[in-house]
Amino acid sequence: MSGRIKINLRSSERYHGVLNAPHRAFLRSIGFTDEDIGKPLVAVVAAWSEAGPCNIHTLQLASYVKEGVKMGGGSPLAVPTLVVNDNIGMGTEGMRYSLVSRDLIADTIEAQVNAHAFDGFVGIGGCDKTTPGILMAMARLNIPAIYLYGGSAEPGFYGGKEITIEDVHEAIGAYIAGKITEDELYAIELNAHPTVGTCAGMFTANTMASIAEALGMALPGSASPTATSSRRVAYARETGFALLNLMELGIKPRDIMTYEAFENAITVLMAMGGSTNAILHLLAIAYEAGVKLTLDDFDRISRRTPYIASLKPGGDYAMADLDRVGGVPLVMLKLLRAGLIHGDALTVTGKTVEENLRNYKFPNVPHEHIVRDATNPIKPWGGIRILKGTLAPEGAVIKVAATSIMRFEGRARPFNGEEEAFQAIRRGEIKPGDVVVIRYEGPKGGPGMPEMLRVTAAIVGAGLGQDVALVTDGRFSGATRGLMVGHVAPEAAVGGPIAVVEDGDRILIDVENGRLDLLVPDEEVKRRLRNWQPPKPRYTSGLLAKYASLVSSASMGAVTLPRP
């Protein structure tokens, strides 16, 4: 390690010099020596929790990252941040805390890194909101930083086929509809998620890990090895070592997270058919990075990007399968060859995307069944489309990778909340041709914009996936499939048109033309809105009430903004 790295160490103002003796005394009490105090001080931020499999192993990974930091010439200290496990909260009040936790993660990292004057940090994530929360903190703090993913679980097997947690949720719908027995449901439950790690498909956690690579904020190839893989340990050490190189080069997150890097990330998202949640998160990360990103950017890139990766829930394969054929670098190589991503974008290796891909060692195995060439795509457009129209003036999102239906017109069945809709499905009240409308579940109205996987899986599991659509101002799990439109903005709680949809209204979903329309005369909608009164907030104190008072529209990424 050269001496150049010590020129601008912010930790020197906190720990060097006579007047900082009290600060050094505390570091000495945990075993630091004069030599340790003289080195760059590195935080190893572990989003850790035993409440679920996604992040239970991140403290162990932190120890390997610390080894890499020491090898590079730094002094590492592990610090925690929180985890809200999405699957465990799904369909309950707990899900209201999921999106809230993203911003809390960014805030807690800011507090710890700044309060203790760290010179740089590695962030270790897993479950859905940990990755975007960590990336938001990296963009906000703008000190040298690298992201490390904890890895996905291995897929399960049942009935001779590969299954994931998605299959458990859909099995509940099948059980409610009388299509399978309780014993069959139990057998699926036992086999769906056999190891530690995040959900095995291209759901939100794996989507965001892929995006961290595509943004240039994680080491190439680090997104796809499973949590149980020895390569996960190797990547942990390499990430710690790489951070010190990044610090010596003076490269900071905003040098990497440019507009072109976000274009790369969106392109990879569309090519892989990733989670719609990524749109919220990329908007939020871009906001922290000072990069102007809008829903129009997603729509533009979706229209030019082919969908090429057959990954669950839209395809047939899990993240572990993608790893065996080359991981995210394989997808990026295909896109680079097609001229669809910026090869000159800088990354945390200190090299460009193109240089990384040129030096990456790809396995020599058949891969076309999982990742196709851009000239022979699964679909000619991206896996997610943006819809706008009279029902969503600011925009809405749909995962076209998870449905073959491009146009649907049906009668509205509005419900003021997820639970109302779920009970209607249980009672068999939802019929072919219905458009289930779930409102007052947006960022402010939820609050927290809960995911609707319990409802969407119940619809699909009941055999209605081709005959029923769903529209909501809430959001979806990455495991959701079917004709499901989310993130409708403006949301109902602020008087968006979705608030005044009435039973029997006609709704048009036109994916090809990017439209989501309430087929009611404008004057009638305006009349309804004049008579509309906002409901009382669900929470008047505590974290959720505080969040509701600060959160912005889904079209802005649902970031929390200080009150004027």
Side-chain angles (χ1 to χ4, degrees), residues 87 153 162 240 300 303 364 374 393 397 402 410 432 528:
N87 188 69
E162 198 173 73
R300 170 177 54 83
R303 291 177 185 275
N364 186 22
V397 303
R528 293 179 188 178

Side-chain angles (χ1 to χ4, degrees), residues 5-13 16 38-40 119 247:
I5 195 170
K6 296 187 178 181
I7 295 175
N8 294 313
L9 290 185
R10 66 181 197 161
S11 61
S12 64
E13 296 181 8
H16 299 180
K39 295 176 181 178
D119 297 304
M247 295 171 74

Side-chain angles (χ1 to χ4, degrees), residues 418-452:
E418 178 187 11
E419 184 60 28
E420 278 188 20
F422 183 71
Q423 293 304 326
I425 295 166
R426 286 192 64 182
R427 293 190 298 267
E429 294 173 2
I430 303 304
K431 305 297 182 184
D434 285 346
V435 179
V436 176
V437 177
I438 302 177
R439 58 195 176 198
Y440 299 109
E441 296 287 17
K444 189 179 292 290
M449 207 179 178
E451 293 179 356
M452 304 286 155

